[in-house]
Amino acid sequence: MGILSDFFAANPTEALRYANRIEEPDEGDEIEELLNPAQHKRFTDIEITTLWAIMEGKEWEVDKHALEYIEIGEDSDAWLNRFPDELTILLTRLDSGSLGPVLEKWAKTEELECDPAELHPVVEDLRRLANEAIAKKKSVYLWGCL
């Protein structure tokens, strides 16, 4: 099955509702419909922060390239991370001309080792969500689960 990786734009309350939707099934469908997450597999904060460093053209640094961890409960196999505004803005500035080289570098990372074409839909979703987040004064979140 692997790692489930759902990306969405939300305010903090919506993000927590989404993260806890499995424990509250009646609300789960409602919040999924509201947020319309981009659902992928295999992405954690490590892969996303690696993408961040690549987009900046810098080496990955643990103190700089970090997503905000949001506590959602001790007994959960799931996690929730908020993208810092700096990363969200950077995603909105990623254009078609710079996308190819970014995908090439990201695909070659130790964490992914895949065909760059596999990553294209993920980056397109992240760009769309970043634009949505800025337009609606929200943040981009990553919900993951083993």
Side-chain angles (χ1 to χ4, degrees), residues 43-133:
F43 296 96
T44 67
D45 60 327
I46 296 296
E47 290 80 18
I48 300 305
T49 57
T50 301
L51 172 63
W52 182 1
I54 290 168
M55 289 189 300
E56 285 186 324
K58 297 182 177 174
E59 289 292 318
W60 183 85
E61 294 180 41
V62 69
D63 293 332
K64 170 157 178 43
H65 301 108
L67 303 185
E68 178 186 345
Y69 176 76
I70 310 292
E71 182 66 47
I72 59 172
E74 293 177 19
D75 297 332
S76 179
D77 286 336
W79 58 88
L80 181 65
N81 296 110
R82 187 185 77 78
F83 286 32
D85 294 341
E86 182 181 351
L87 173 56
T88 301
I89 291 167
L90 198 57
L91 284 163
T92 67
R93 293 181 181 157
L94 187 61
D95 60 21
S96 298
S98 59
L99 186 57
V102 166
L103 290 174
E104 288 283 335
K105 288 178 186 171
W106 197 29
K108 289 179 182 175
T109 61
E110 182 180 335
E111 295 81 16
L112 293 173
E113 295 180 347
C114 66
D115 185 322
E118 293 177 43
L119 300 174
H120 190 265
V122 178
V123 174
E124 287 300 326
D125 282 337
L126 293 176
R127 288 171 59 187
R128 175 182 56 81
L129 291 167
N131 282 305
E132 178 184 333

